[in-house]
Amino acid sequence: MTKSEAIFERACKVIPGGVNSPVRAFGSIGGTPRMICSADGTHMTDEDGNTYLDFVGSWGPMILGHNHPAVKEAVIKACEDGLSFGAATKREVEMAELICSSIPNVDMVRMVNSGTEAVMSAIRTARGYTGRDKIVKFMGCYHGHSDALLVQAGSGVMTAGIPDSAGVPKGCTQDTLSAVYNDASSVEKLFETFPEEIAAVIVEPVGANMGVVPPAPGFLESLRSLCTKYGAVLIFDEVITGFRLGFTGAQGYFGVDADLVTYGKIIGAGMPVGAYGGKREIMSCVAPVGPVYQAGTLSGNPVAMAAGLAQLTILKDHPEIYQELNEKGDWFYGEVKRLLEKTELPAQATSCGSLGCIFFTNTPVVNYETAKTSDTSLYASYFKHMLENHIYLAPAQFEAMFLSAAHTREELVGVLDVMRGFFLKDN
Ligand SMILES: *Cc1c(COP(=O)(O)O)cnc(C)c1O
């Protein structure tokens, strides 16, 4: 038995499924999770001393690579001043100023502790602002695990085979309407049915929790104009795309304005951080200035802010990081696509900048229905092949591959070789 296996056995006795988030489980691909004890740059090391080239990047936060020296230094420095005060601090203001001065349509921002919390609070704010109850989400988009949003919610839920979570009362989801990703007419129909009841449309501007499903040309623009027409709030859930597609996230990348934006992952550089922000008029509804209550004992935590600020400052001061990262993504996923043209397996690659995914299906993937045509057992074989070659991918089909600024072309050429060994083995 490996050390990872032994620790996992202990874990299963005291933690449901042995993991603190279902996406870490190896349930859908078989085997036991590797217990990671450290990471640096592009590599993670497990308890048995195996190292892996990592493409999960803590599910996105590690856009500069693991254990970035500037982030680490900022965290250590902040720790020396105390871990939490439960009172206002300057770092929170610096964080808010950094975000509001550079992100379009974000005039004010509130820090929270996770993406889930950010989205939950943004929805509440949109409802408070509009005085309406209904929200529209897209099938296959994940917006955290709050009750109202656990409807057709993408990867973690898909892989576990739970269509909707148990324990969510019907009352909590009765105002959640589901639309089809990349199909604006499905949203238009909902608006026609409920013209004055929809508070918000929430979307992952790039679907990244049903595998990677980029928005079709015009899709996000249509959502923008529908929300404007019907007086609903357009929420971009940028928990993955924020500070990844570019510093200004999907709003900047696609040139579409949102009313509220949610952040997580990269914004905390690996610390538990989320944020929601948007137009002043809407954010002014939030307590203590407005009637929408939202609070957090550890929100804006000084250590977390230090980590996030350090990473965001580097990203903001070096726009070339995004240019290089997106070029690297286009090149790498382009090579993957070329490789998959030659395979006899049903497989296609999708990508947007540094986010990419291989779907094991020949059906063109444009939404949740088509993503679900993937052969997950083939993904399991592929995952195992990559892991045996010390390449760590998400242990589930419906997740993204995250490239970081730290990945080198040499490393990626090596990955392509290993992929070739899987996809072209019979040729
Ligand atoms: C990860 C994720 C969330 C939830 O964030 P947590 O920090 O895990 O609560 C919400 N929305 C999207 C798009 C995500 O990818």
Side-chain angles (χ1 to χ4, degrees):
M1 193 188 274
T2 65
K3 285 185 188 158
S4 274
E5 284 164 349
I7 297 169
F8 186 64
E9 204 173 276
R10 282 165 54 198
C12 287
K13 293 185 186 134
V14 286
I15 304 173
V19 291
N20 277 317
S21 189
V23 294
R24 297 175 201 168
F26 275 29
S28 70
I29 44 94
T32 51
R34 302 300 183 269
M35 291 285 172
I36 303 300
C37 57
S38 67
D40 200 70
T42 53
H43 284 80
M44 297 204 296
T45 303
D46 71 14
E47 293 281 351
D48 294 285
N50 303 306
T51 63
Y52 304 93
L53 182 59
D54 177 34
F55 288 99
V56 177
S58 192
W59 303 96
M62 301 304 167
I63 190 165
L64 297 175
H66 290 279
N67 213 13
H68 190 280
V71 175
K72 182 163 66 176
E73 194 187 316
V75 167
I76 292 170
K77 206 158 158 271
C79 286
E80 281 167 357
D81 295 331
L83 298 188
S84 176
F85 314 123
T89 62
K90 189 168 83 180
R91 278 199 194 90
E92 295 165 86
V93 183
E94 289 168 355
M95 177 64 114
E97 285 172 346
L98 180 67
I99 294 168
C100 296
S101 67
S102 28
I103 310 289
N105 305 307
V106 177
D107 306 320
M108 297 181 109
V109 65
R110 179 54 78 71
M111 304 307 301
V112 293
N113 305 287
S114 68
T116 295
E117 231 189 295
V119 173
M120 186 181 81
S121 310
I123 296 279
R124 186 181 301 146
T125 304
R127 284 171 162 163
Y129 171 72
T130 56
R132 301 172 177 184
D133 287 343
K134 292 194 191 304
I135 55 168
V136 175
K137 81 174 282 291
F138 293 91
M139 290 180 251
C141 284
Y142 178 66
H143 302 293
H145 67 91
S146 68
D147 283 346
L149 291 157
L150 276 182
V151 180
Q152 313 229 26
S155 179
V157 184
M158 258 160 114
T159 309
I162 312 166
D164 295 313
S165 170
V168 176
K170 275 200 205 80
C172 289
T173 53
Q174 71 185 15
D175 288 317
T176 306
L177 308 168
S178 295
V180 179
Y181 198 81
N182 274 332
D183 178 1
S185 71
S186 70
V187 181
E188 190 163 21
K189 277 191 204 112
L190 292 172
F191 271 119
E192 283 165 1
T193 314
F194 305 105
E196 284 173 10
E197 291 172 68
I198 296 171
V201 173
I202 183 164
V203 66
E204 282 185 76
V206 176
N209 285 284
M210 48 175 157
V212 172
V213 181
F219 173 60
L220 298 173
E221 288 85 348
S222 301
L223 300 184
R224 174 65 276 169
S225 52
L226 283 169
C227 284
T228 303
K229 179 174 169 192
Y230 288 94
V233 174
L234 178 60
I235 307 175
F236 273 10
D237 182 350
E238 298 232 38
V239 170
I240 283 183
T241 52
F243 310 107
R244 174 166 289 277
L245 297 179
F247 197 79
T248 54
Q251 286 198 93
Y253 192 85
F254 296 110
V256 178
D257 293 333
D259 300 309
L260 286 179
V261 188
T262 56
Y263 294 109
K265 300 186 173 126
I266 290 178
I267 201 173
M271 298 295 285
V273 181
Y276 66 105
K279 297 188 172 144
R280 187 173 306 278
E281 189 190 348
I282 305 176
M283 289 303 288
S284 298
C285 294
V286 177
V289 270
V292 175
Y293 194 71
Q294 185 271 312
T297 302
L298 296 174
S299 294
N301 172 271
V303 183
M305 290 302 100
L309 265 175
Q311 175 152 282
L312 294 190
T313 303
I314 293 171
L315 292 170
K316 187 173 179 189
D317 291 348
H318 298 276
E320 73 276 8
I321 290 177
Y322 288 111
Q323 199 188 331
E324 286 166 19
L325 182 59
N326 288 334
E327 279 170 12
K328 194 161 64 185
D330 290 344
W331 163 75
F332 175 69
Y333 297 119
E335 289 296 312
V336 174
K337 285 168 197 170
R338 264 190 288 287
L339 166 63
L340 296 185
E341 278 165 16
K342 297 186 213 137
T343 186
E344 281 165 13
L345 296 171
Q348 66 189 288
T350 56
S351 70
C352 184
S354 57
L355 297 167
C357 170
I358 294 176
F359 286 106
F360 285 87
T361 175
N362 284 329
T363 307
V365 174
V366 293
N367 57 27
Y368 185 55
E369 276 306 303
T370 47
K372 279 196 299 185
T373 63
S374 302
D375 183 339
T376 54
S377 63
L378 269 180
Y379 183 85
S381 314
Y382 163 68
F383 173 88
K384 271 184 215 140
H385 171 85
M386 300 301 277
L387 192 68
E388 276 161 15
N389 286 281
H390 296 263
I391 295 166
Y392 190 90
L393 302 174
Q397 162 74 85
F398 305 103
E399 301 285 1
M401 191 171 177
F402 294 90
L403 291 191
S404 77
H407 288 106
T408 65
R409 296 238 171 186
E410 294 68 42
E411 284 171 334
L412 297 177
V413 166
V415 172
L416 290 167
D417 277 339
V418 176
M419 284 183 175
R420 227 167 261 127
F422 180 80
F423 287 102
L424 305 180
K425 62 187 157 201
D426 297 328
N427 301 7

